[in-house]
Structures are given as C-alpha cells and as structure tokens.
Amino acid sequence: EGCYACWVGHACSIGARQPTPWAAGTYTNITGFPSGVKCEPGRFQASEGKTACDACEVGAYCQAGATAAMPCQAGTFGDTTNLGSQSECTDCAAGAFCSTGATSPSDCAPGTRQDRTGQSQCLECAAGSYQNETGRTACRICPRGSYCAAGASAPLPCVGGTYSNQTGLQSSDQCTDCPGL
C-alpha cells in the first residue's frame, strides 16, 4: 500500500488508514492542512469536513465556530444575513413586537399598545380605553357617551335610553339612565 495525500476538509495523522473529517463549525480548502479553521462570526457549518462555511440566515446570528444559526431572541430581530452575535440583532421599536427569530418587527394590533422597545408582545388596552390603529404606544381614553372593555379597538355607544357625560367608562353598566324613562 502506498501513501496518499490527505483529502481537502480532512486531517490525516501519522499512520492513519482513513482521513478524519474536520469538525462541524470548521472548514478549509487547503489540502494537507493540519486542522480546520473556525467559521468566522456571521457564518456557520453544520457538517464535518467541509471546505467553506454557510452564511448565517436572516433572523439569526452565528458566533465564531458555529455549527448552527441561533435565532435572534424575542424582542429583537435580524433583517440581514451574517450577524455574528445576539448584540447585532436589533431591538424592536415601541409600538411593535418581535417573536424569537423575527426578521422584522410586527406592529401592535388595534386594541393593543407597547410603549417600550425590545418587547416580545403587545399589551391589551385597559378597560376604559381603546386603540383603533396599529403600531401605537398608548391607548386612547374612551370618550363621553361610550364605553370600552379591555382590549377594545373602538368605543361602543351607550345603549338606547342611557348616556354618559364622563370619559373612561369600562362597561355599559356604567352608562346612566336617561331622566324621565
């Protein structure tokens, strides 16, 4: 038996019968190189014995030597490839939320709000208030002549025969009966 050159992406120890592939998270495209080189930040390699690393996908980050992409944490998003750490993921803005691995922020829905940055969910409007728009940081006080249950996206009018000259009513029970009825 003769000696053969070690394969690209593999290591060969003295007297080896078979080349050993470099570990996942490493690469090289040079024949006979003694060991694999760690993938640089923003790239990863899930397989053994490879000659290149893959780009970290959108919504995730890859630290040096990564064998897999890690999703950006809830409250943050990644809208570009090749992020090298969680700190490179962007905080969600106020009025929006980001779930784990988000590629962009999502606006808060009507009936909800979020006044802080870096959040993973929006908060329901409290009873006595409403929000009829998306992506808002605050809820509006329920106007006179109407009431607003928790999570309201619009004020509801006091039922026939009742009224209110106050703001912030939370239920129809708080509307006042019209005089003389």
Side-chain angles (χ1 to χ4, degrees):
E1 286 187 35
C3 293
Y4 302 94
C6 196
W7 304 334
V8 173
H10 292 72
C12 297
S13 58
I14 295 175
R17 293 187 178 269
Q18 288 284 1
T20 304
W22 293 314
T26 65
Y27 77 102
T28 191
N29 57 5
I30 301 170
T31 303
F33 205 71
S35 65
V37 176
K38 278 186 177 182
C39 292
E40 59 272 5
R43 301 184 70 76
F44 76 101
Q45 182 47 256
S47 302
E48 298 176 333
K50 295 298 179 177
T51 58
C53 294
D54 298 320
C56 201
E57 60 251 18
V58 176
Y61 65 93
C62 300
Q63 295 179 325
T67 60
M70 298 298 294
C72 289
Q73 294 174 356
T76 66
F77 68 97
D79 61 355
T80 62
T81 59
N82 301 330
L83 298 181
S85 68
Q86 171 60 46
S87 65
E88 293 180 27
C89 296
T90 304
D91 280 348
C92 270
F97 71 96
C98 296
S99 56
T100 302
T103 58
S104 64
S106 299
D107 284 343
C108 292
T112 67
R113 53 106 182 147
Q114 182 50 261
D115 60 344
R116 295 172 39 205
T117 61
Q119 300 302 302
S120 62
Q121 62 186 358
C122 295
L123 305 172
E124 184 177 73
C125 289
S129 67
Y130 75 101
Q131 182 49 261
N132 60 339
E133 298 180 80
T134 60
R136 297 301 169 179
T137 60
C139 296
R140 300 172 181 193
I141 191 81
C142 204
R144 291 182 177 134
S146 60
Y147 65 96
C148 300
S153 59
L156 296 174
C158 288
V159 296
T162 66
Y163 75 99
S164 173
N165 59 8
Q166 297 178 356
T167 60
L169 296 187
Q170 299 177 5
S171 72
S172 63
D173 296 345
Q174 293 178 313
C175 294
T176 304
D177 289 334
C178 291
L181 292 179

